[in-house]
Amino acid sequence: MGRKTKVSTDGGAPLSSNPFASLGGALSDLPDGEPAAEPEPTPEQVPAAASGAGLAGQRSKIVVRREKKGRGGKTATVIEGLELSDAQLSAMAKQLRRRFGCGAHVEGTTVVLSGAQTDRVRDWLVEQGARKVVVGN
């Protein structure tokens, strides 16, 4: 096996043809497209009442507790007592994921966050308008 010869990359001759030159005329023949849609606001930009996840109308207490049992020894924070639809629960889980930087998902009528987040979640729920938040465990 012999050594490969190196190709010089500095000071070479310019390209003899431009591969994109033929596209210049084709662009003027294209029809005008639809205007770009407005980007969807992030959950932090949408007020809680507008996103449907507002808790001001919550009548019963919301229970926030830590759990380990049945979760492979991992600590999880469970939020129960939310009177929200499935879509609103999913939106709330998404907001919590982004706010706390942890995993969050919906199990039935509860929202489960990974890690011990009880105090932070209680403060967040009060910010969102929840009247009665009980922290257990």
Side-chain angles (χ1 to χ4, degrees), residues 105-130:
H105 65 277
V106 178
E107 288 182 0
T109 59
T110 64
V111 178
V112 180
L113 283 81
S114 54
Q117 312 275 350
T118 52
D119 294 331
R120 295 172 70 193
V121 170
R122 179 195 58 223
D123 295 340
W124 184 81
L125 288 170
V126 171
E127 282 177 16
Q128 299 300 311

Side-chain angles (χ1 to χ4, degrees), residues 55-69:
L55 300 172
Q58 187 78 23
R59 285 175 267 147
S60 63
K61 67 181 175 183
I62 299 173
V63 179
V64 180
R65 71 172 191 276
R66 284 185 314 128
E67 272 188 3
K68 277 181 138 181
K69 190 171 186 177

Side-chain angles (χ1 to χ4, degrees), residues 51-53 84-93 106:
S51 68
L84 301 172
S85 68
D86 292 340
Q88 290 172 327
L89 285 173
S90 296
M92 178 178 278
V106 178

Side-chain angles (χ1 to χ4, degrees), residues 7-31:
V7 177
S8 175
T9 59
D10 48 310
L15 293 175
S16 60
S17 66
N18 183 357
F20 301 106
S22 63
L23 295 177
L27 291 177
S28 61
D29 297 338
L30 292 176

